[in-house]
Structures are given as structure tokens and as C-alpha cells.
């Protein structure tokens, strides 16, 4: 399973490297590779020479777009790589249905591997600060919608602040005081509003804010499992409950606690976030309304295509009680 991911990472890194070496944008590299207008012949030859030296080969998705596909909407999982995503798996049925009902279809892509001027729009997941995909869309005038807050863009996002509050308040209502926020990322990288919701509840009850960063390599749940399997026993038992940034992290935490001989929720309470189908059945978690997210994304995509003024939309979330709290 590791080989395909490594190959995908290689292809993705080379197109960015080609753009960096040429001193040009990813969009310009895409135009050169796909023999599209907008750059000089001298620049085209320069880019193609760089790509040849790097061994860059366009992806399968890029080869599918050999002509104009204005009814095709490119969906990108993140700014750096194309990888299997449980979150997209949860969102896909609702999102593909909503986009199809608008007369369009979805194509998952590694951003930069396809000629974006041949598609009708883009949906961007995994938004980060100074996201290069947004810059590329604006540069070529491609309508796009972000799943995640982004000022100056059309965006749809779950209500992460109140979701973080609900998750934390649930544990406070159970009488817990030593509650820790567990994240695989650096604070502020994608899920800061969930963290802020946690901090808000802790501060309102004059409780100590505590955080553990597990890392995300090779996968979030494995990293969380290893971290909690090896954490000092005295430090671990100073906590009573854990609010996890996402369901994968929660699953890693739970597996490690059980392997160490602890019981849930007798010894610890754990709350996840996202409500991923199949893996969160027994988990207390914050559930996202995928149908509402998808409907609003499809609606905003239509607005973006009509060049209306960008707006954002927050979608409510809800607490689902399980066996872990």
C-alpha cells in the first residue's frame, strides 16, 4: 500500500519542482505540458525540458481531460498530495449526488496534474494558510469552493467551534476536570476552531487547558496509538478525558488505552470528531451533516461560476453518544 502513495508524492513534488526551477506558476507548467496557449514557445520548451529531466509523467486524471470538460468539477484533497481519505469517502455520496443534480460530475485530482483550464470548477478540501491551489484558481479564473473557512473565497465548513465546545462540555457535564485536547497537527493547522471551542469551555469553567500532539506519521491513528502506548503512566493518569481532533486520532488513542489495560469509559472518556461511517459506530463523536455540506457546496459552485461575490456558510454539527464516554 505504501508504494502508490510514494509514487503519487513523487509526481506531485516534481510538478511543483518544475514550476520552482522555471520560476513560473503551476498553471504555466500545466499549460506547457498540455500544449495550451498562454505562454511563449520559448517558455514552453524550457518547461518541457525541465519536466523531462525530472521524469514527470501526468496522472491518469490528467490524461482523462484531453478536451474541454466544462461540466467536470475537479476535487482536490489537499495542497501537497493525492491520498486515500476517509473524510472524502464519507462526503463523496452526498457531494457527488448534489453535483450530479446540478448537471455536473466530479473528478478527484492531484492539483497541478491536470489542465485546470479544461474543467468547469474546483472543490478544495484540506485548506491551509496561503494555499497554493487557491492562488492557482484565482490566477486562471477557475471558479472554486473551499470545504473549510477561507476569507475571500466561497467556502462551506462544519461549525467546528461549537463542535469543539459540545465535545468538551459533554465531558465537563460528566464531572471531568482534567480534559486534554489531542491533535496530530501543530495548533492552527486546519482544525484551530475545534481547539478554540475546547479552550472556550475549559476557560468558562476555570479548568486547565492541556494539549497533546501525537504527530500524523505514517497515519494519524497509528501515530496516536504509538504516542499513547508509550506515554508515561503517571502523566497519562493525570488526565480523565480526551477530546480528539478527529475520529482517526480517537481510534488510535482508544486502542492504546485498551492495550495498556484501561477500560472506557470507566478509566478514561474519549470523544472524536467527524462521525466517520463504519469506524465511529461505538465512538462518542461530533457528527457532520454531509448532505447539508454537499448541497451548499453545489449551490455555491453555481454562484462561483456566475462570478457572484464570495460568501461563506457554516453547517451545524451534533454530538452522537457512544460507548467511549
Amino acid at each position: 500500500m505504501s508504494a502508490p502513495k510514494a509514487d503519487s508524492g513523487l509526481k506531485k513534488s516534481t510538478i511543483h519542482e518544475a514550476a520552482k526551477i522555471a520560476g513560473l506558476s503551476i498553471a504555466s507548467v500545466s499549460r506547457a505540458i498540455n500544449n495550451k496557449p498562454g505562454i511563449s514557445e520559448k517558455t514552453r520548451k524550457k518547461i518541457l525540458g525541465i519536466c523531462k529531466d525530472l521524469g514527470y509523467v501526468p496522472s491518469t486524471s490528467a490524461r482523462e481531460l484531453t478536451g474541454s470538460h466544462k461540466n467536470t468539477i475537479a476535487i482536490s484533497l489537499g495542497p501537497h498530495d493525492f491520498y486515500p481519505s476517509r473524510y472524502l469517502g464519507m462526503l463523496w455520496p452526498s457531494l457527488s449526488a448534489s453535483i450530479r443534480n446540478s448537471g455536473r460530475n466530479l473528478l478527484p485530482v492531484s492539483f497541478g496534474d491536470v489542465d485546470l483550464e479544461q474543467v468547469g470548477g474546483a472543490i478544495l478540501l484540506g485548506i491551509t494558510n496561503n494555499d497554493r491551489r487557491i492562488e492557482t484558481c484565482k490566477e486562471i479564473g477557475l471558479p472554486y469552493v473551499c470545504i473549510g473557512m477561507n476569507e475571500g473565497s466561497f467556502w462551506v465548513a462544519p461549525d467546528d467551534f461549537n463542535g469543539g465546545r459540545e465535545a468538551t462540555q459533554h465531558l465537563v457535564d460528566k464531572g471531568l476536570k482534567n480534559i486534554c485536547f489531542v491533535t496530530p497537527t501543530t495548533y492552527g493547522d486546519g482544525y484551530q476552531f475545534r481547539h478554540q471551542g475546547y479552550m472556550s469551555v475549559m476557560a468558562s469553567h476555570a479548568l486547565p487547558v492541556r494539549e497533546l500532539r501525537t504527530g500524523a506519521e505514517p497515519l494519524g491513528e497509528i501515530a496516536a496509538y504509538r504516542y499513547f502506548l508509550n506515554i508515561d503512566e503517571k502523566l497519562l493518569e493525570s488526565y480523565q478525558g480526551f477530546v480528539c481532533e478527529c475520529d482517526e486520532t480517537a481510534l488510535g488513542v482508544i486502542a492504546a488505552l485498551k492495550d495498556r489495560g484501561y477500560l472506557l469509559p470507566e478509566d478514561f472518556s474519549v470523544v472524536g470528531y467527524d462521525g466517520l461511517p463504519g469506524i465511529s459506530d461505538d465512538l462518542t463523536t461530533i457528527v457532520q451533516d454531509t448532505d447539508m455540506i454537499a448541497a451548499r457546496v453545489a449551490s455555491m459552485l453555481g454562484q462561483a461560476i456566475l462570478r457572484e461575490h464570495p460568501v461563506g456558510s457554516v453547517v451545524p454539527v451534533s454530538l452522537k453518544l457512544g460507548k467511549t464516554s
Side-chain angles (χ1 to χ4, degrees), residues 62-188:
R63 290 193 292 270
E64 288 182 21
L65 292 174
T66 55
S68 179
H69 291 255
K70 294 302 183 182
N71 285 333
T72 295
I73 305 301
I75 181 166
S76 170
L77 300 184
H80 306 301
D81 203 351
F82 181 86
Y83 55 92
S85 165
R86 289 195 182 109
Y87 182 74
L88 180 59
M90 176 181 77
L91 188 60
W92 184 267
S94 299
L95 191 58
S96 60
S98 291
I99 295 299
R100 188 169 58 251
N101 288 340
S102 69
R104 304 180 179 93
N105 57 81
L106 286 178
L107 177 67
V109 302
S110 292
F111 219 73
D113 280 356
V114 299
D115 182 4
L116 295 171
E117 295 185 1
Q118 298 305 310
V119 300
I123 298 172
L124 311 180
L125 282 74
I127 300 300
T128 62
N129 292 330
N130 302 314
D131 199 303
R132 289 179 291 183
R133 297 171 298 166
I134 293 175
E135 296 173 9
T136 299
C137 287
K138 289 181 176 180
E139 178 186 341
I140 65 175
L142 180 67
Y144 69 96
V145 178
C146 300
I147 297 183
M149 292 184 180
N150 187 267
E151 185 178 356
S153 302
F154 283 98
W155 59 262
V156 180
D159 191 353
D160 282 346
F161 178 77
N162 279 316
R165 283 187 55 85
E166 279 195 70
T168 309
Q169 187 63 53
H170 168 62
L171 297 185
V172 171
D173 290 343
K174 284 173 55 66
L176 306 188
K177 296 183 178 180
N178 297 313
I179 303 167
C180 180
F181 188 83
V182 184
T183 171
T185 66
T186 301
Y187 168 64

Side-chain angles (χ1 to χ4, degrees), residues 37 45 74-75 103 108 118 134 143 178 188 207 218-219 237 243 255 270:
K45 290 180 178 179
I75 181 166
Q118 298 305 310
I134 293 175
N178 297 313
L207 297 174
L219 294 171
E237 293 184 354
V243 174
V270 177

